[in-house]
Amino acid sequence: MQLGLRLPQRLGVDLQHEVVEAARTAEAAGYASVWTYERLLFPQTPAEPYAPPNVPWPESSRQAADPLAVLAAAAAATEKVRLGTSVLIAALHTPVQLAKALATIDQISGGRMVAGLGTGWSTDELQATGATRADRGRFLDETLDVFDAVWGPDPVTFRGPRVVIDNAAVLPKPVGKIPVLLGGGGSNLGRGTSSRALQRIATRADGWLPLLTTPGPAGAAALRASWDRIREAAFQFGRDASRMRLVVVGNVTFTDRPAGSDRPAFVGTLDQVMDDVRTAAEAGADELIVDLNLQDWFVSTRQMLETAVEIRERAAAL
């Protein structure tokens, strides 16, 4: 299993210097990829909690610098690591402009871009861009359709609910096929192909970006079962499911003492987090994204990177 590292985007990060430092450090440490996340704004009285049932929006992640600008900086500063988004919210973007931005970073990086997308959940963010929660799924579907059209040969002709392109060149093109991964769900993702989220991943995506939420064998078994359902559905739709990738997200929160048996995955001491790294591998993950952005414990990006390097070294010894 490969490891990826989320780049620092939060409040207090020196974007001029620390983004590049983090990307170079991750590459030198042997991380296979670097990733960014998307938060458009931070409402004072949000319509929904950050996570159910009533988790407040985290103070430490405020700022959330633009994910594509951060990846462009990382692309110019590195040579090998893949550059991924986990995830962009499709409804917050104009599809053609998003396709152009992703293709541009792919060109800058020599073909290392990975596009992770999702439907989103924040009413406050969606309404800031003129969307609603009811729009989320169809906007994501249209975005995927636009990617297929404009990343293909010119001239492009496309007609959708929002996007009309009439016999036009749309440039630049990606270096090659940009892998598109879809987030959404976890170990409880749809029990059958009637689940729209499952169907979308099975029919449209090159892989799945779930959270690992439960530690230990139970968490590994549940995630593996969901992944098996997705791949079975992909096979039924006539796709080569063996080419799809499972890229698990681990949102790390360190505690001073070992967390109890009821802890969520990636919450606890470093030893417990390493147990969760092993769980992700046992679930069949091709890659694990280590996310330290929500961690209040770190006082600096350098301290965060020291821990990221230690996690990479320990994972290599598992």
Side-chain angles (χ1 to χ4, degrees):
M1 181 181 72
Q2 296 179 316
L3 289 189
L5 181 67
R6 277 237 179 103
L7 294 171
Q9 297 169 250
R10 63 185 185 173
L11 191 66
V13 170
D14 175 1
L15 295 174
Q16 183 179 6
H17 301 104
E18 292 178 1
V19 166
V20 167
E21 178 187 4
R24 287 174 173 164
T25 298
E27 184 168 77
Y31 278 90
S33 55
V34 292
W35 299 77
T36 55
Y37 63 99
E38 182 162 53
R39 283 268 69 88
L40 184 63
L41 45 76
F42 295 86
Q44 295 297 311
T45 53
E48 299 93 7
Y50 198 79
N54 195 31
V55 176
W57 286 53
E59 290 291 326
S60 59
S61 70
R62 287 181 182 269
Q63 178 168 291
D66 180 79
L68 296 179
V70 169
L71 280 186
T78 57
E79 296 291 337
K80 297 181 296 183
V81 288
R82 284 173 283 108
L83 306 147
T85 58
S86 175
V87 294
L88 298 175
I89 308 306
L92 306 184
H93 299 268
T94 302
V96 176
Q97 291 174 314
L98 181 57
K100 181 182 284 285
L102 293 169
T104 300
I105 296 174
D106 198 56
Q107 284 283 348
I108 292 170
S109 66
R112 293 183 280 140
M113 185 72 221
V114 180
L117 289 91
T119 56
W121 53 267
S122 169
T123 296
D124 298 282
E125 291 188 325
L126 292 165
Q127 69 184 8
T129 58
T132 69
R133 289 177 66 86
D135 295 325
R136 297 176 299 162
R138 63 186 181 89
F139 280 12
L140 175 55
D141 288 334
E142 185 180 28
T143 297
L144 297 175
D145 291 339
V146 169
F147 286 179
D148 289 342
V150 304
W151 289 344
D154 288 326
V156 175
T157 296
F158 179 88
R159 183 172 296 273
R162 293 183 296 162
V163 179
V164 176
I165 306 171
D166 187 11
N167 197 37
V170 184
L171 299 166
K173 304 296 184 186
V175 173
K177 185 184 187 310
I178 295 178
V180 175
L181 311 181
L182 293 180
S187 60
N188 62 345
L189 185 67
R191 298 294 171 179
T193 55
S194 61
S195 163
R196 182 65 189 118
L198 185 151
Q199 285 192 44
R200 185 182 288 115
I201 297 165
T203 59
R204 304 297 303 271
D206 298 303
W208 183 35
L209 281 163
L211 291 169
L212 177 64
T213 56
T214 303
L223 188 58
R224 188 184 308 112
S226 287
W227 183 226
D228 287 344
R229 283 193 294 275
I230 289 171
R231 290 187 294 179
E232 180 183 353
F235 176 78
Q236 291 173 352
F237 284 114
R239 304 187 68 208
D240 182 358
S242 68
R243 299 177 65 86
M244 298 176 69
R245 286 174 55 84
L246 176 61
V247 182
V248 175
V249 180
N251 293 326
V252 177
T253 299
F254 286 118
T255 57
D256 294 330
R257 300 176 182 177
S261 59
D262 59 344
R263 72 182 181 91
F266 294 101
V267 174
T269 62
L270 181 57
D271 285 342
Q272 288 178 310
V273 168
M274 295 311 302
D275 288 340
D276 298 332
V277 172
R278 186 180 295 106
T279 296
E282 291 170 352
D286 297 290
E287 191 162 353
L288 170 69
I289 301 171
V290 178
D291 182 5
L292 302 172
N293 272 279
L294 301 181
Q295 179 56 249
D296 289 327
W297 178 77
F298 294 118
V299 297
S300 69
T301 296
R302 184 171 296 277
Q303 184 185 17
M304 184 202 84
L305 291 175
E306 289 172 355
T307 302
V309 171
E310 183 175 1
I311 289 172
R312 173 69 183 90
E313 291 173 346
R314 292 182 61 163
L318 290 178

